[in-house]
Amino acid sequence: MKKILSILALVIVFASGSVFAHGSHGKISGQDAKSIAYKSVKQMTFKDLGFEPGKLNESWKKITDADISVVEVGTGYFVVSAKNTSEEATIYFKIATNGQVLAASETNNFLEE
């Protein structure tokens, strides 16, 4: 059990590092934004990242890449949706073109600033 927890901890550390590593690497693509949202959803199943939805339940671990879509491209950001079909719920992420997750919400009400 300790070995499994150790491996899980390493995966979490590497995953969280890659989510935020884009901040200094210039502009990301829509596919990069989808990957960041996917990793963020997974992180939110074990940790409250400070966004509106808070910590998500375990069913969010089952979403796949097909459940993630870019729904809007604005000046300097992407809005990406993550759909959980088992919960009939959607989380929207506003992700800056530098890769930083700016916000997450259960509604797509992000206004261009």
Side-chain angles (χ1 to χ4, degrees), residues 39-65:
K39 290 174 185 174
S40 296
V41 166
K42 299 297 183 171
Q43 286 181 319
M44 290 172 73
T45 62
F46 61 85
K47 183 177 181 182
D48 183 341
L49 298 180
F51 299 122
E52 177 188 306
K55 183 178 174 186
L56 302 175
N57 69 41
E58 295 289 313
S59 70
W60 285 91
K61 288 182 179 182
K62 297 177 185 172
I63 67 166
T64 66
D65 185 55

Side-chain angles (χ1 to χ4, degrees), residues 8-47:
L8 181 59
L10 284 174
V11 169
I12 291 166
V13 168
F14 287 117
S16 63
S18 65
V19 167
F20 300 106
H22 295 284
S24 63
H25 294 135
K27 292 189 175 189
I28 63 169
S29 68
Q31 186 61 42
D32 293 331
K34 286 175 58 174
S35 295
I36 292 166
Y38 181 79
K39 290 174 185 174
S40 296
V41 166
K42 299 297 183 171
Q43 286 181 319
M44 290 172 73
T45 62
F46 61 85
K47 183 177 181 182

